[in-house]
Amino acid sequence: MKPPAGISPRPPWRSRLAWGAAVALLALPLLVSSPYYLSLLVMVFLWTTAASAWNLLGGFTGQLSLGHAAYFGVGAYAVALLGSRFGVSPWLGLLAGAAAAVPVALVIGGVCFRLRGPYFTLATIASTEVLRQVALNWRSFTNGAVGLSVPPLFVGVSRAPYYYATLALAALTLLVSARLTTSKTGYWLQAIREDEDTAQSIGVDTARYKLLALAISAVFVALAGGIFAGYLSYIEPDIVLTVGLSIQICVFAIIGGLGTVEGPVLGAFLLTIASELFRSSFKQAHLIIYGVLMIVVMLFMPDGLLGQYRRWRSRPATSPAGSKGVRA
Amino acid sequence: MSAAESLLELVTLTKNFGGLVAVKDVSLSVRAGEIVSIIGPNGAGKTTIFNLISAFHRPSAGDIRFLGRSIAGLSPHRVALMGIGRTFQIVKPFPNLTVLQNVMAGAFARTDDIRAAREKAFSVLEMTGLAERAAQPARGLTLGGRKRLEIARCLATDPKVILLDEVVAGLNPREAEETINLIMRLRGLGVSAVAGVEHVMRVVMAISDRIVVLNHGQKIAEGPPAEIARDPQVIEAYLGEEYHHGR
Amino acid sequence: MLSFAQILISGILTGALYALVGIGLTIIFGVMRVINFAHGELLMVGMYISFFAATLLGLDPYVSLLIVAPALFVIGVLIQRYLINPVLKAPEFNQILVTLGVGLVLTNSAQLLFTADYRQVRTAYSSLTWGGNLAISVPYTVSFLLALAITAALYVFLMRTDLGKAMRATAQDREAARLMGINVERVSMVAFGIGAAAAGAAGTLLMPVYYLFPAVGEPFTLKAFVVVVLGGMGSVIGATFGGLILGAVEAIGSLYASTGYKDAYGFVIFLLILILKPSGLFGRSRV
């Protein structure tokens, strides 16, 4: 009998492939000096982090949050405000942002998790929107729509330090995500996604586990937001606190494959590259590709690219255990 | 029977939904290892009683005692962890998880260790005859399979009592028999069962220690199967329906 | 006191437009149980059609209603037929994402076709006022009256006509309606069409008093939700009052607190209502 995919020992070629990829990723900045490509990869890693973190709540726990820009914004504003108002090192700011994301997540979660389905989603949008309004209007502190300049995390013009920092963050997020799939917490989060009543009937404190998933998720998204702010060296509410950003974060995960460890990586990689390619022809409208992909994926392959691939690969045999997407 | 012996006790339990009385003054006591069947037509209040015991609903009046202490007002997961397991009338397996993963999710109620959870899950799957389906996604099972999976997932939480809502409804005779056999085996494990059944079936009579008959939310009869089968009130309530063979 | 009355009146006038956007959303939700996350974007599309009718054909924005409403109806029908219907039985999660995708495509298409420039239609009456010292805006008043008239017409349609009754039956129980011989697929398309037309009409009514850009719809999607949640999902009358209340609250809020937070008031109310009384102020509780 075949053990389910989530807990099977990896075949040797897979672990070799993983090691090879790791070495290649570490060596890449030595070979590629073009700041353009390194910047692109920095964004890929940041989006991988944000999408994987979102996936803990959206994919594994099944709670469609469209409010993750809130945590991205908290991380970004922590670095920017502590740096520009109090002269605090951006690294401390980064940690402060991650720490601040937890209470923010608990408050927002405490409110939104009382609702289910589309009402939950609406409430997450509304709470982010309230934060954006505060950032826009508390001018004496946040500088409002003018925005804030952010102290850089690394001195010098080289992109390589940001490359390694974001790579490390993405790797850490994936590690947490992978560990979760083979732990009690991971099983129980998925139980909540599959059916909340049943989850409660086997002893899952659904309220607590949802908050836990949101808090972990928020911390990583805040870290991504903090590094993003330092990297961009400038932020404003309409960059880091928009519904558009929240949508973007979840689209990466959905297109790659909801509730899988690798899906968000795939989604972040393909979409960052794709939107870069489309940027020249579509200018600011490159988000159109996200919209088109969202519709196509939901209509034709609700398990995302990875789920579709797994299904296709296992078609002749009995259905595999791996695909955990949401479907009819 | 004395209170000390009883595992689960309903004390004049009542539940209103708005003006509608779904359950009225139902008292019931279940001892360790006992199998009690609650018989009643659809809408008689069986599911409401299960929802009350498993804390999905709060009683409007009366009390529920488990292991001698009141559990009314606790949250569903607390009640589950105390040892009250349940299945749902409309089966709710975790469709995108495998059969094994479904049962492991239940086993995690008693352990944090994935290996221990997997071992527990496999032993339950063996017992419930689902072992060869372990790697299959739960959504692919037949209705009978899904009902058994519900029981398996529930058993993995090591319940002291298991509430089986409409345990044989919709099953073909063979599936119903398998399920009944499974319930029989619970006795050997020292697990009590409260089974909700729509029809008075010979098999149900055979395995039950005691039968409670509900009509319009009220208990109209209680006793050993042989007695219930002769009860004129029951015969009246089930006119033309008594002694169904498994459908 | 004068400024209070002024502000309150202008708030209520705007509120009727919010109500119309909300009614579109509530009709779609009522019949399909789908929350249309692209609703504000449909309003935006209506505004662009009205804008080009004004600049290219020289049509008055109010006259362009006659073009916008049918155009949006068709767009709504097509969206329902090809994008929403296939996911009607899918989890809510998937439905939300499809409508979000539609919204993204519409906004970004507008950006692509018409650039991000702000546009406006100036009419001879744009800055006229009436009511003496109260100085009530004439175009806002006309839009208010038209919005109320459209709302009333929709209400009569739903209550009196066969198609309206079929829509209400479908909203109550889709399967039962099907068994009664109602073509629920067709009813759904009409419902989405009417919902989209209502959003487009609201956009058109905004045209003489508002400016237009591709992302103009985004806050309106959220406002429509607020309106509908205030009034109770699926209730046309509730949405009407919800719209008027939201308009008034925004206006009063910006008078006594800060104008900048105008949009935030609605969302705070929204969160409070969702938590305290999820069935809405006027709604019966729904399970």
Side-chain angles (χ1 to χ4, degrees), chain A residues 2 184 188 194 198 321 325 327, chain B residues 95-96 98 105 112 135 139 153:
Chain A
K2 201 175 75 170
K184 170 177 173 172
W188 278 14
E194 297 289 301
T198 313
R327 85 167 59 70
Chain B
N96 297 310
T98 62
D112 292 347
R139 63 171 176 276
R153 183 181 53 209

Side-chain angles (χ1 to χ4, degrees), chain B residues 11 19 38 95 101 109 117 154 157 168 202 229 232 236:
Chain B
V11 187
I38 302 183
Q101 287 169 329
C154 181
T157 67
V168 287
R202 199 184 293 272
E236 190 190 339

Side-chain angles (χ1 to χ4, degrees), chain C residues 47-70:
Chain C
M47 287 179 85
Y48 269 103
I49 297 177
S50 176
F51 172 80
F52 285 111
T55 50
L56 301 180
L57 306 175
L59 282 186
D60 183 275
Y62 290 122
V63 177
S64 70
L65 260 182
L66 299 173
I67 301 176
V68 173

Side-chain angles (χ1 to χ4, degrees), chain C residues 92-149:
Chain C
E92 281 164 346
F93 199 98
N94 303 28
Q95 298 168 353
I96 295 173
L97 291 169
V98 169
T99 59
L100 268 175
V102 171
L104 274 182
V105 170
L106 290 177
T107 310
N108 286 286
S109 304
Q111 180 129 9
L112 203 60
L113 295 170
F114 313 129
T115 74
D117 292 350
Y118 280 55
R119 294 157 197 272
Q120 217 177 359
V121 173
R122 296 299 300 175
T123 55
Y125 49 80
S126 276
S127 45
L128 286 186
T129 61
W130 65 284
N133 281 344
L134 282 173
I136 303 164
S137 153
V138 167
Y140 261 112
T141 310
V142 176
S143 293
F144 171 81
L145 294 173
L146 282 172
L148 287 190

Side-chain angles (χ1 to χ4, degrees), chain B residues 103-167:
Chain B
V103 181
M104 281 173 71
F108 278 119
R110 298 289 167 226
T111 176
D112 292 347
D113 179 58
I114 188 156
R115 244 160 285 145
R118 197 176 316 145
E119 272 167 34
K120 173 81 188 172
F122 266 121
S123 76
V124 173
L125 286 176
E126 290 293 346
M127 195 184 88
T128 50
L130 284 166
E132 70 256 42
R133 307 214 171 272
Q136 202 176 314
R139 63 171 176 276
L141 294 180
T142 59
L143 179 64
R146 276 178 280 157
K147 287 218 170 193
R148 250 187 301 160
L149 176 58
E150 287 237 325
I151 299 175
R153 183 181 53 209
C154 181
L155 283 177
T157 67
D158 270 342
K160 295 188 176 67
V161 57
I162 177 166
L163 313 171
L164 303 160
D165 198 355
E166 288 305 348
V167 68

Side-chain angles (χ1 to χ4, degrees), chain A residues 54 58 62-64 66 111-112 114-115 117-119 121-123 125-127 129-130 133-134 137-138 243-244 247 250 254 258 281-282 284-288 290-292 294-295 298-299 302 326-328, chain C residues 29 35 37 82-84 86-87 89-98 100-102 104-105 108-109 111-112 116 218 222 225 229 233 258-264 267-268 270-271 274-276 278 286:
Chain A
W54 179 90
Q63 308 297 310
L64 179 50
L66 287 178
V111 172
C112 299
R114 303 176 63 157
L115 307 161
Y119 293 96
T121 305
L122 290 174
I125 296 178
S127 19
E129 205 51 25
V130 170
Q133 297 292 337
V134 171
N137 288 293
W138 192 2
V243 180
I247 296 177
C250 90
I254 289 159
L258 271 174
S281 45
F282 284 109
Q284 288 144 312
H286 63 282
L287 285 179
I288 197 168
Y290 290 9
V292 171
M294 251 161 115
I295 297 172
M298 277 304 125
L299 290 187
V326 182
R327 85 167 59 70
Chain C
F29 176 81
I35 294 192
F37 278 75
Y82 293 105
L83 303 177
I84 308 297
V87 292
K89 292 214 169 72
E92 281 164 346
F93 199 98
N94 303 28
Q95 298 168 353
I96 295 173
L97 291 169
V98 169
L100 268 175
V102 171
L104 274 182
V105 170
N108 286 286
S109 304
Q111 180 129 9
L112 203 60
E218 193 182 288
L222 285 171
F225 291 144
V229 165
M233 272 285 179
S258 154
T259 321
Y261 283 108
K262 186 179 152 221
D263 287 334
F267 301 136
V268 171
F270 171 72
L271 290 173
L274 277 181
I275 291 157
L276 301 175
R286 289 179 180 281

Side-chain angles (χ1 to χ4, degrees), chain B residues 10 22-23 26 37-53 57 86 89 163-167 169 194-199 212-218 238:
Chain B
L10 313 185
V23 172
V26 170
S37 293
I38 302 183
I39 297 184
N42 220 344
K46 288 168 296 177
T47 297
T48 307
I49 289 183
F50 289 146
N51 282 339
L52 287 167
I53 301 173
H57 292 332
R86 73 165 293 176
Q89 177 173 11
L163 313 171
L164 303 160
D165 198 355
E166 288 305 348
V167 68
V194 181
V197 197
E198 204 174 321
H199 299 278
V212 173
V213 184
L214 277 190
N215 206 10
H216 301 298
Q218 279 175 298
Y238 281 94

